[in-house]
């Protein structure tokens, strides 16, 4: 089966233990029984409750936690199953991470690294191509467990997957083209999505061929002056648009959502209060996500204004965009079931969201410049939410994202950005 991935990705585990933290590890009955037969120092299967039934999928189990970490995580941050019996005996979920592997309906397998793993965001380690054999072996195991993935362009258009890949390639080509400044690339992507949403242009999508990328690039080049003009004096955001944007920033940083869902209802109420405060502009990143700093009183929309960006600050973000577009992992099963159009709008809006979170972190640190580290931290959080939170599959959240991608609103969000 052909394997597709964005080549410029790297990984070498740093044993930080993050992936063995608060996330649930689902496993099958077979995996559970296999682990129960192992002799693992410090684990007594007869005395301790090691597994529980998965609440969402009745045929599955989850590994219980101790101090908010996987019960098999040792004090040295190493997995006890891996350490005493080798990697192969770990549940498939653990062996796959931080890869995201999808088997598609047209016999293509795609893989990306997950940017919520700090090692991936640091861009060090082995290149993704050197994991080719492991990825193929894991993809074979997934054949038996998951449905094959499919995707649509939007609710009306369903071109072949090969056409969707051509369209994604076209977006990748101009979004990663450093001849254009970042804001122009993102704005052009939004304009192109809008162009193809018109019924009279649907044939371009359905019959996308080798010409698509060339035409898209030509269109972007021809539109630069007009795009710069729109970006020069956009109308200010109205209150509704401001609230939607701040709400979405809050949504993108729900990295500890799984934990939040387990806390008592009154504690959840105080979380709702924090989300509301954040949507009104006076909340704090730190109150919504434990990994982010205290930023009370700094409006996410104001934080980016006047900020300087280090030259390499956004490199990892473009790498992330390239990986998503190459693999098509921003739409279709199992990533929230978004269409290509919805997935693209999500990627487009991730730029001002990431800028806002990075700027808030820099301001919390009393700096006037945004560094590579600020962007990496923001990306670790937003990639986590994108691949796990069901928030972005909700109709009204998709509508909010679409509103923020409209010409005037997006121009206003992008104006202060590089
Ligand atoms: S989050 Fe990444 S670096 Fe940390 S333990 Fe997991 S795979 Fe390794």
């Amino acid at each position: 089966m052909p394997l597709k991935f964005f080549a410029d990705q790297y990984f070498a585990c740093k044993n930080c233990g993050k992936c063995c933290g608060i996330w649930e590890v689902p496993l099958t009955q077979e995996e559970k029984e296999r682990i129960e037969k192992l002799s693992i120092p410090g684990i007594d299967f007869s005395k301790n409750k090691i597994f529980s039934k998965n609440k969402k999928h009745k045929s599955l189990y989850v590994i219980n936690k101790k101090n908010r970490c996987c019960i098999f995580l040792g004090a040295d941050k190493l997995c006890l199953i891996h350490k005493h019996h080798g990697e192969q005996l770990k549940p498939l979920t653990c062996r796959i991470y931080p890869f995201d592997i999808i088997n598609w309906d047209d016999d293509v397998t795609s893989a990306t690294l997950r940017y919520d793993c700090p090692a991936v965001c640091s861009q060090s380690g082995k290149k993704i191509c050197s994991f080719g054999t492991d990825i193929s072996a894991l993809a074979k195991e997934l054949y038996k467990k998951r449905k094959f993935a499919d995707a649509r362009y939007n609710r009306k258009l369903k071109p072949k997957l090969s056409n969707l890949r051509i369209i994604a390639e076209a977006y990748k080509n101009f979004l990663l083209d450093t001849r254009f400044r970042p804001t122009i690339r993102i704005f052009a992507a939004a304009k192109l999505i809008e162009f193809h949403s018109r019924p009279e242009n649907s044939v371009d999508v359905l019959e996308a061929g080798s010409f698509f990328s060339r035409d898209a690039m030509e269109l972007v080049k021809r539109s630069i002056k007009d795009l710069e003009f729109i970006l020069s004096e956009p109308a200010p955001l109205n209150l509704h648009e401001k609230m939607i944007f701040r709400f979405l920033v809050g949504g993108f940083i729900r990295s500890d959502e799984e934990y939040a869902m387990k806390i008592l209802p009154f504690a959840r109420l105080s979380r709702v209060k924090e989300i509301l405060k954040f949507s009104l502009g006076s909340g704090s990143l730190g109150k919504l996500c434990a990994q982010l700093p205290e930023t009370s009183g700094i409006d996410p929309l104001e934080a980016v204004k006047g900020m300087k960006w280090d030259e390499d600050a956004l490199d990892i973000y473009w790498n992330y965009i390239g990986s998503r577009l190459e693999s098509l992992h921003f739409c279709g099963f199992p990533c929230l079931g978004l269409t290509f159009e919805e997935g693209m709008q999500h990627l487009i809006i991730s730029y001002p969201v990431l800028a806002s979170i990075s700027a808030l972190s820099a301001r919390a640190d009393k700096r006037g410049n945004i560094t590579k580290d600020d962007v990496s931290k923001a990306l670790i959080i937003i990639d986590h939410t994108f691949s796990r939170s069901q928030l972005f599959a909700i109709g009204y959240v998709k509508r909010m994202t679409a509103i923020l991608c409209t010409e005037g609103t997006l121009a206003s969000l992008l104006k202060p950005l590089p």
Side-chain angles (χ1 to χ4, degrees):
M1 267 185 150
L3 179 60
K4 277 190 77 68
F5 52 78
F6 183 62
D8 197 20
Q9 298 179 84
Y10 303 82
F11 172 64
C13 181
K14 296 176 182 225
N15 294 331
C16 70
K18 180 190 168 191
C19 55
C20 315
I22 57 169
W23 308 340
E24 284 199 335
V25 177
L27 70 173
T28 60
Q29 169 112 20
E30 193 191 334
E31 287 174 320
K32 172 182 168 283
E33 286 169 4
R34 195 174 64 204
I35 294 170
E36 280 170 337
K37 286 186 192 133
L38 303 175
S39 154
I40 303 172
I43 303 283
D44 187 340
F45 290 101
S46 63
K47 285 196 186 132
N48 306 116
K49 195 166 184 283
I50 308 294
F51 304 104
S52 299
K53 273 273 181 198
N54 186 314
K55 287 195 184 109
K56 278 192 211 147
H57 306 280
K58 297 291 174 216
S59 61
L60 297 178
Y61 291 83
V62 292
I63 301 176
N64 290 340
K65 306 278 178 203
K66 193 173 159 193
N67 302 327
R68 293 179 69 182
C69 283
C70 174
I71 214 156
F72 294 112
L73 187 69
D76 52 3
K77 301 266 189 218
L78 294 177
C79 168
L80 292 172
I81 304 175
H82 191 144
K83 189 170 165 180
H84 296 285
H85 299 279
E87 179 171 17
Q88 213 43 38
L89 288 179
K90 292 198 293 188
L92 181 61
T93 309
C94 305
R95 282 184 284 130
I96 286 183
Y97 191 83
F99 289 96
D100 198 1
I101 300 169
I102 299 184
N103 294 316
W104 294 89
D105 252 355
D106 61 349
D107 281 351
V108 171
T109 295
S110 57
T112 61
L113 278 160
R114 300 260 310 256
Y115 288 66
D116 60 357
C117 161
V120 174
C121 252
S122 72
Q123 285 264 284
S124 55
K126 289 201 276 181
K127 226 174 175 178
I128 190 170
C129 56
S130 59
F131 296 96
T133 315
D134 301 323
I135 294 171
S136 299
L138 290 165
K140 263 191 200 155
E141 283 192 58
L142 283 171
Y143 287 163
K144 301 168 208 152
K145 300 193 182 216
R146 276 195 202 154
K147 276 197 292 182
F148 279 43
D150 198 5
R152 325 176 48 95
Y153 182 80
N154 57 26
R155 301 290 154 197
K156 291 192 183 126
L157 303 180
K158 174 134 187 15
K160 286 186 195 154
L161 280 167
S162 54
N163 295 89
L164 273 186
R165 287 199 187 91
I166 289 171
I167 299 170
E169 178 81 17
Y171 277 90
K172 191 186 81 183
N173 287 346
F174 72 79
L175 277 167
L176 301 193
D177 193 328
T178 50
R179 287 176 299 168
F180 316 121
R181 70 184 180 103
T183 288
I184 285 292
R185 297 183 233 164
I186 294 287
F187 202 27
K191 294 296 288 175
L192 204 58
I193 282 288
E194 191 224 302
F195 177 80
H196 285 125
S197 69
R198 294 182 214 144
E200 66 271 26
N201 298 325
S202 58
V203 68
D204 292 3
V205 169
L206 292 170
E207 293 171 13
S210 54
F211 55 87
F212 193 95
S213 191
R214 189 198 57 217
D215 290 358
M217 185 64 94
E218 283 308 313
L219 194 67
V220 173
K221 281 191 201 157
R222 278 203 310 274
S223 315
I224 288 181
K225 265 193 184 162
D226 294 339
L227 298 179
E228 288 285 12
F229 179 73
I230 300 166
L231 282 164
S232 63
E233 275 315 316
L237 296 174
N238 61 36
L239 186 62
H240 181 227
E241 291 161 339
K242 284 181 181 175
M243 282 193 63
I244 289 179
F245 179 72
R246 295 190 201 108
F247 175 81
L248 278 185
V249 174
F252 268 92
I253 59 175
R254 289 162 35 136
S255 70
D256 46 4
E257 184 185 18
E258 280 151 344
Y259 169 69
M261 291 316 288
K262 284 185 189 142
I263 56 183
L264 295 168
F266 68 85
R268 259 185 260 160
L269 263 184
S270 78
R271 196 173 160 80
V272 171
K273 197 176 111 201
E274 288 305 332
I275 292 169
L276 192 64
K277 237 171 123 183
F278 195 82
S279 305
L280 290 168
S282 62
S284 161
L285 286 181
K287 293 262 166 33
L288 295 179
C289 173
Q291 293 102 58
L292 289 170
E294 177 56 48
T295 58
S296 288
I298 315 174
D299 185 341
L301 281 158
E302 297 298 317
V304 285
K305 293 184 182 165
M307 270 286 172
K308 292 199 168 49
W309 291 72
D310 288 2
E311 211 175 310
D312 59 353
L314 282 165
D315 290 358
I316 188 65
Y317 176 69
W318 296 116
N319 189 278
Y320 164 77
I321 292 288
S323 77
R324 291 297 173 267
L325 288 163
E326 182 77 40
S327 59
L328 224 58
H329 282 207
F330 58 96
C331 61
F333 178 84
C335 299
L336 311 177
L338 302 182
T339 63
F340 183 96
E341 201 175 80
E342 290 162 348
M344 272 310 301
Q345 285 174 335
H346 188 94
L347 286 185
I348 288 164
I349 221 61
S350 73
Y351 179 54
V353 167
L354 175 116
S356 190
I357 299 169
S358 307
L360 282 167
S361 297
R363 291 216 184 266
D365 212 14
K366 307 221 177 323
R367 279 183 283 114
N369 66 312
I370 294 173
T371 64
K372 198 176 175 173
D373 198 40
D374 296 322
V375 172
S376 295
K377 280 186 192 150
L379 188 57
I380 286 170
I381 306 279
I382 71 174
D383 184 47
H384 174 91
T385 317
F386 181 64
S387 42
R388 295 181 82 89
S389 172
Q390 285 299 309
L391 182 80
F392 298 106
I394 300 172
Y396 72 83
V397 176
K398 288 186 203 168
R399 283 193 290 282
M400 284 181 184
T401 310
I403 289 172
L404 296 180
C405 285
T406 52
E407 184 181 290
T409 314
L410 187 63
S412 197
L413 289 171
L414 295 177
K415 186 172 163 40
L417 307 186

